[in-house]
Amino acid sequence: MSKPAILALEDGSIFHGTAIGAEGQTSGEVVFNTAMTGYQEILTDPSYTRQIVTLTYPHIGNTGVNAEDVESGAIAAAGLVIRDLPLLASSFRSEQTLSDYLVSQNVLGIADIDTRRLTRILRDKGAQNGAILAGADAEGDDAVERALAAAKAFPGLKGMDLAKVVSCQSSYEWSEGEWTLGEGYADTTQSERPFHVVAYDYGVKRNILRMLASRGCRLTIVPAQTPAAEVLAMQPDGIFLANGPGDPEPCDYAIKAIQEVLETEVPVFGICLGHQLLALASGAKTIKMSHGHHGANHPVQDLDSGKVMITSQNHGFAADEASLPANLRATHRSLFDGTLQGIERTDRPAFSFQGHPEASPGPRDVAPLFDRFVAMMQARR
């Protein structure tokens, strides 16, 4: 039998639906994602920590879930909001239903609500703090009042340092390469790996590491708060700044480490939060966006070639192009709202991209940025 669920937003909006995951209460920043596929990768993306994800595509869960399509060790999102959960999950790769997966991970979800109405609210008013009550917590005459109180009690992501929260606790090696149908993920340990890359884990997605490994990189992943001296002592050929959740400005430990790294000639490549941190370390500023970019259909223009790429995006903060110092150059710009999508240092071998070029889920238009990073390491050698 179905169990009730309530979604409340800080502006007072209330949605009544059906619980599709664990019972209880959760709160976070409510955002919408326009991707049509990849719900499992989205849920396990650490960049969604403390966020409740609304998927605009109406039918979610129809291919089930499996052990391969994850971007981290567990669901990172604070909750899931969808229009419809199909009664059957059908795929030759399916190992579990989405609902059972949510329950097993103790994550709340709500279905059977008007996600179009919710998306319009988030689009017009910006990302909202919200809360989901599911199961017994959603019952009782005061359930709506409790949901609203939980939504308004969430402090918001501005000023919230989450990179050190989701980061690994100790360094480790990575050798898993990209996935092939029928073969699974490649083992690169026996392949030629001429480049040693040290990756700062601010909430890294596994497919980023896989794409680097498949391009001849021997990877050492280190915690977010690792001092630059320790990283440089590993004599890396390149340093990677990973994606991650939260506000980049409070990450003073990361900004300081990146500044020290930039005093050397070691090539640096940043993605998502890593892009914002590279900007801050170089003297630029960041801003909190209205509703951010979340989806797999975002057009971004390469300012040098004029080429337009369709990209995967997941961020609520952005580097402020108006604040770029003289030694920082804009390389990519969003065609949705004109926000900065890429930068490079003019005095150091360092560059970054705001979107997710590893495309998990999403298009692969921006994958050549990984080749550029490898070429920079090759040139330095």
Side-chain angles (χ1 to χ4, degrees):
M1 295 182 65
S2 62
K3 297 178 180 179
I6 297 172
L7 169 66
L9 304 183
E10 62 178 317
D11 72 347
S13 300
I14 300 294
F15 297 82
H16 293 272
T18 304
I20 59 170
E23 294 189 39
Q25 175 181 310
T26 187
S27 61
E29 181 183 77
V30 184
V31 299
F32 65 89
N33 186 303
T34 57
M36 296 175 67
T37 61
Y39 52 83
Q40 191 175 348
E41 292 92 329
I42 290 168
L43 285 170
T44 54
D45 178 356
S47 295
Y48 277 118
T49 300
R50 303 306 302 271
Q51 290 185 313
I52 296 172
V53 183
T54 303
L55 297 177
T56 60
Y57 188 72
H59 305 296
I60 300 298
N62 48 355
T63 56
V65 299
N66 63 74
E68 287 186 322
D69 294 350
V70 294
E71 287 299 328
S72 65
I75 292 178
L80 175 66
V81 182
I82 64 173
R83 175 66 186 91
D84 173 65
L85 179 69
L87 293 176
L88 296 176
S90 178
S91 169
F92 73 98
R93 299 178 65 232
S94 178
E95 299 170 358
Q96 192 178 25
T97 66
L98 174 59
S99 182
D100 288 344
Y101 181 54
L102 292 172
V103 172
S104 69
Q105 299 266 320
N106 196 32
V107 174
L108 275 67
I110 180 172
D112 300 326
I113 73 163
D114 187 349
T115 50
R116 292 178 297 178
R117 175 190 164 218
L118 174 57
T119 300
R120 287 195 297 268
I121 292 172
L122 301 178
R123 180 195 64 191
D124 297 340
K125 296 184 178 181
Q128 295 271 313
N129 294 335
I132 298 175
L133 272 58
D137 284 58
E139 297 174 346
D141 295 338
D142 64 340
V144 170
E145 184 179 337
R146 286 187 281 111
L148 281 171
K152 293 177 180 178
F154 183 71
L157 293 183
K158 179 68 175 175
M160 192 176 287
D161 177 2
L162 296 175
K164 64 184 179 185
V165 175
V166 302
S167 180
C168 59
Q169 299 302 305
S170 59
S171 61
Y172 62 95
E173 303 294 315
W174 182 275
S175 60
E176 186 177 84
E178 294 181 76
W179 183 84
T180 303
L181 180 63
E183 299 178 12
Y185 291 107
D187 181 0
T188 67
T189 52
Q190 303 303 315
S191 305
E192 184 179 357
R193 295 187 292 169
F195 305 108
H196 180 209
V197 172
V198 176
Y200 271 103
D201 178 14
Y202 306 128
V204 68
K205 293 177 69 176
R206 290 177 176 175
N207 210 47
I208 291 174
L209 302 179
R210 295 178 188 123
M211 292 185 77
L212 288 169
S214 291
R215 285 165 170 77
C217 297
R218 179 171 58 87
L219 290 156
T220 302
I221 293 82
V222 298
Q225 295 177 285
T226 305
E230 287 187 28
V231 169
L232 294 172
M234 299 178 190
Q235 298 183 317
D237 295 295
I239 294 175
F240 175 74
L241 312 175
N243 63 290
D247 189 344
E249 286 191 3
C251 303
D252 52 353
Y253 51 89
I255 296 168
K256 180 177 184 294
I258 296 169
Q259 287 173 334
E260 293 180 22
V261 166
L262 290 172
E263 293 176 2
T264 72
E265 291 297 324
V266 179
V268 175
F269 176 30
I271 288 175
C272 189
L273 183 66
H275 157 80
Q276 298 158 15
L277 291 171
L278 177 63
L280 288 169
S282 301
K285 297 179 181 179
T286 55
I287 55 175
K288 178 75 168 71
M289 303 174 71
S290 173
H291 50 69
H293 292 162
H294 311 279
N297 57 350
H298 289 238
V300 170
Q301 185 169 38
D302 183 323
L303 299 180
D304 293 329
S305 68
K307 180 180 179 180
V308 176
M309 303 170 288
I310 304 302
T311 70
S312 181
Q313 302 277 329
N314 177 20
H315 62 107
F317 293 82
D320 183 5
E321 185 171 353
S323 70
L324 297 187
N327 64 346
L328 209 54
R329 187 176 75 88
T331 59
H332 297 81
R333 188 176 292 128
S334 167
L335 295 185
F336 271 163
D337 58 13
T339 53
L340 187 62
Q341 280 281 323
I343 56 173
E344 71 173 8
R345 287 282 294 256
T346 58
D347 57 343
R348 290 290 187 271
F351 73 105
S352 60
F353 185 73
Q354 177 60 77
H356 286 217
E358 87 293 341
S360 189
R364 297 182 176 271
D365 296 26
V366 200
L369 289 184
F370 291 102
D371 300 322
R372 178 185 175 185
F373 183 44
V374 171
M376 288 170 64
M377 293 188 285
Q378 180 66 55
R380 180 171 181 261
R381 178 173 291 184

